[in-house]
Amino acid sequence: MSEEEKRPHSPGERTRFAAALLSGLLAGFAALAVAELVAAAVRPQAGPVVAVGGAAIDRTPIAVKDWAIRTFGTDDKLILQLGILTVLALFALALGALALRHRRTGAAGALVFGAVGAAAATGRPDSTSAADALPSVVGAVIGAGLLYVLAGRLRAPGRGVPEGEGEGAGGTDGGWDRRGFVKVATAAAAASAGAGVLGRALNGSSGQDAVASRKDTDLPPPASPAPAVPRGTQLRVAGVSPFFTPSDDFYRVDTALVVPKVDATAWRLRIHGEGVTREKTLTFGDLLRRELIERDITLTCVSNEVGGPYVGNARWIGVRLADLLRECGVRPPSAGGPADQLVARSVDGMTIGSPVEDVMDGRDAMLAVGMNGEPLPFDHGFPVRMLVPGLYGYVSACKWIEDIELTTFDAYDSYWVKRDWAREAPIKTQSRIDTPKPFARPNAGTVMVAGVAWAQHRGIDKVEVRVDDGPWQDATLAAEDSRDTWRQWSYAWQATKGGHTLTVRATDRTGEVQTEKRTRTVPDGASGWHSVVVTVE
């Protein structure tokens, strides 16, 4: 049959072709809805969209990930999921068109959906059971069956519809069973919608115990409270970032398409590995009964570009990690310990490797249970997360932590190291102009230039501002809370009319001046001076 003959020409044929496309979409919808329902019985992370999305994140080149974070920010996961759904919709349309003339082949093609989803689900780092393949497999079987049935209703006489059931026989149109197609399609759409709603409700209810456990969590007062924040830490300059970042505004960069909701009453943490002479398994209650510390600590993501938003400051409460490790018999390498890497594992399968020496050198590395006076939000790791001041998050800030293994850098590469990021990554000295914003049009006269600078665990000693290619001028530093937090700064600029470029640089307490050399985030964080262009009127 020629291509010309394959194309629908008559109105009836065009309608049949449109119905074929619709049958593909309905089959895809049914497959996803049923998979969602089955995932509620297995685990939400086994759903095909989440599993395929996670696999895509694992296999996406670093340059593409960086671009996605720069372009979409914290909406990158939503964009990924929408992209997956768009690809599935196009695949479903193609299968519907194929099934119009090749019914069995089209239905068999729908099973590819199950194979891809099953492989993605069982191949995820957090997968521990072959049951993770069930949502994708069952959904694909239902989708294939529905496509086969719907395609049967589209068959013209001589292609599966008996003679005599044509246009004059009981509501067919153009030689296909239009009435029967509408009945099956309507019933399938209704059943699929019901399955999807039920699956979404069951998946939502699966986290109710976790929500209840967080609601019931009362954080004990810390044995070592955070020192009072000095007066003058927060500048009275409009547009500068608040000293404390509200939890709802705190950046979130991770690979979890579905935020894990862990029941604190069932949570356990195991500490084991090389140099551990006394293994420990701790409950959430065990941690809350220990001596808690409270500290102000600024966190920074290694994906933060120069001048970027992925940095925030919060008040954390938790248990000193070094104390726990010592109780397990762990010694840092400088004291003869055999392990130089601490591998933290999350419930979602993420692995993060931290230098044991840094964790145990006296800084306030902790297993955090609270953030800004409340139990950790789910987005930020409830019930327990790890953080180490002075290290980028990908080598220190494991959320939803459930396992700590002591090993060596030579023996094991964590998730991001396998993807060409550096094994060790101390935070670089950085500064940012918060106000005026790029392309602002302030009036001539005194313009307050202000922002934040950070060099966690070293502290900021100096910030300088340059206008165009002029000399560097000292900015006024706000009071310092601690060397583990960022520091605000301001500069009163006598602005003259015209276009100008404002540039900032910082000097940390070791005397290191922020480098001008511009680098990308890979492999160990971006560097360079932040600048903004404004037009003074």
Side-chain angles (χ1 to χ4, degrees), residues 41-342:
V42 179
R43 63 189 190 100
Q45 291 82 358
V49 174
V50 174
V52 171
I57 290 174
D58 291 345
R59 292 163 177 77
T60 299
I62 288 177
V64 177
K65 286 183 182 178
D66 257 8
W67 171 83
I69 291 174
R70 289 197 310 273
T71 305
F72 304 114
T74 54
D75 291 329
D76 58 339
K77 298 175 185 64
L78 173 61
I79 298 298
L80 173 61
Q81 289 177 304
L82 291 175
I84 292 171
L85 291 174
T86 299
V87 171
L88 288 176
L90 293 174
F91 184 59
L93 288 169
L95 288 180
L98 177 63
L100 181 62
R101 298 188 179 279
H102 304 283
R103 184 182 179 191
R104 292 179 180 175
T105 304
L111 297 177
V112 174
F113 166 87
V116 172
T122 55
R124 294 289 295 139
D126 58 336
S127 177
T128 58
S129 170
D132 285 348
L134 283 177
S136 295
V137 171
V138 175
V141 170
I142 295 298
L146 177 59
L147 182 58
Y148 187 82
V149 171
L150 289 172
R153 297 293 181 177
L154 298 173
R155 310 294 280 181
R159 294 179 178 272
V161 177
E163 295 289 347
E165 295 186 11
E167 194 164 342
T172 60
D173 181 12
W176 59 282
D177 187 3
R178 182 177 182 179
R179 183 178 299 168
F181 178 87
V182 171
K183 287 181 178 179
V184 174
T186 302
S192 299
V197 170
L198 179 60
R200 184 60 59 94
L202 291 174
N203 277 323
S205 65
S206 66
Q208 288 181 354
D209 289 342
V211 172
S213 69
R214 183 179 183 273
K215 184 177 180 181
D216 293 339
T217 297
D218 290 322
L219 296 178
S224 175
V229 177
R231 293 183 61 183
T233 299
Q234 175 69 55
L235 295 177
R236 296 182 179 180
V237 177
V240 72
S241 300
F243 179 72
F244 283 115
T245 309
S247 299
D248 289 343
D249 296 335
F250 209 93
Y251 76 89
R252 177 197 162 203
V253 177
D254 54 52
T255 62
L257 289 179
V258 175
V259 173
K261 290 191 174 179
V262 181
D263 181 355
T265 62
W267 176 85
R268 298 291 184 273
L269 173 69
R270 181 188 176 206
I271 302 176
H272 61 105
E274 291 188 44
V276 175
T277 58
R278 296 175 294 278
E279 286 194 13
K280 275 186 179 290
T281 299
L282 299 162
T283 68
F284 188 60
D286 291 336
L287 287 185
L288 296 186
R289 285 188 289 271
R290 294 181 64 92
E291 180 179 285
L292 300 179
I293 63 171
E294 182 183 59
R295 297 292 184 267
D296 301 337
I297 299 172
T298 296
L299 300 187
T300 309
C301 179
V302 73
S303 295
N304 197 45
E305 297 279 356
V306 172
Y310 303 125
V311 56
N313 185 55
R315 175 160 288 185
W316 309 90
I317 184 171
V319 173
R320 287 188 187 275
L321 183 52
D323 291 348
L324 277 175
L325 295 177
R326 290 190 184 95
E327 290 175 17
C328 294
V330 177
R331 292 173 295 151
S334 60
D340 61 5
Q341 180 180 203
L342 180 157

Side-chain angles (χ1 to χ4, degrees), residues 364-390:
D364 290 316
M366 69 170 78
L367 294 178
V369 296
M371 177 182 185
N372 290 334
E374 297 181 345
L376 291 172
F378 287 108
D379 280 357
H380 296 291
F382 182 84
V384 183
R385 70 172 295 164
M386 180 176 142
L387 58 89
V388 182

Side-chain angles (χ1 to χ4, degrees), residues 11-41:
E13 280 296 295
R14 286 196 292 269
T15 302
R16 191 162 72 103
F17 184 73
L21 298 179
L22 177 61
S23 68
L25 286 178
L26 286 172
F29 177 46
L32 288 177
V34 170
E36 181 89 5
L37 182 58
V38 177

